[in-house]
């Protein structure tokens, strides 16, 4: 519990201080962070947090260079992609 909540919190707090932030929503069946961003836009909540759904980690990482912070919101189950995310990340948070 709390993975998506923490992903959104981190992204929001860094965006507010001016960082170029994006959330990569890797849980495409649920789209928790993606739907959250949609609700924020509908309600004109600032700052806007870009959230994109990705089917592959490499695709998301390809855009990381242009950002100050890329937050991965992972799926509940571990996959080969989960390991790929961990290897390329500066910080991994596993709420328990
Ligand atoms: N610290 C907390 N205290 C109370 N409720 C919380 C807390 N963290 C998360 N929740 C609530 O628990 C629910 C699940 O949280 P969240 O979506 O962040 O979990 P998740 O780990 O991303 O789940 P999933 O494995 O389905 O992706 C949400 O309704 C969220 O508001
Ligand atoms: Mg989640």
């Amino acid at each position: 519990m709390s993975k998506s909540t923490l992903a959104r919190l981190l992204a929001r707090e860094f965006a507010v201080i001016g960082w170029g932030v994006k959330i990569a929503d890797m849980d495409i069946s649920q789209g928790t962070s993606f739907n959250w961003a949609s609700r924020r836009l509908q309600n004109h909540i600032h700052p806007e947090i870009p959230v994109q759904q990705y089917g592959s980690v490499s695709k998301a990482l390809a855009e990381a260079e242009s950002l100050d912070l890329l937050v991965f919101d992972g799926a509940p189950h571990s996959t080969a992609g989960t390991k790929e995310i961990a290897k390329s990340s500066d910080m991994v948070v596993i709420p328990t």
Side-chain angles (χ1 to χ4, degrees):
M1 181 169 108
S2 293
K3 298 184 299 295
S4 296
T5 302
L6 288 171
R8 295 177 327 215
L9 172 77
L10 274 173
R12 191 266 174 201
E13 292 303 309
F14 278 95
V16 131
I17 58 166
W19 284 40
V21 175
K22 185 172 191 174
I23 298 177
D25 190 341
M26 306 309 288
D27 192 354
I28 42 178
S29 61
Q30 206 168 220
T32 314
S33 289
F34 186 77
N35 293 331
W36 167 78
S38 168
R39 290 196 301 278
R40 283 174 69 89
L41 286 174
Q42 285 171 48
N43 291 289
H44 312 287
I45 298 172
H46 293 278
E48 280 187 24
I49 316 285
V51 179
Q52 191 170 341
Q53 293 179 293
Y54 289 97
S56 76
V57 178
S58 55
K59 190 106 176 166
L61 287 174
E63 291 181 32
E65 284 300 311
S66 62
L67 298 165
D68 298 313
L69 176 66
L70 176 62
V71 179
F72 280 94
D73 182 11
H77 53 284
S78 287
T79 61
T82 313
K83 197 171 169 188
E84 211 180 332
I85 292 170
K87 280 184 168 173
S88 58
S89 296
D90 296 306
M91 182 173 79
V92 177
V93 180
I94 306 174
T96 60

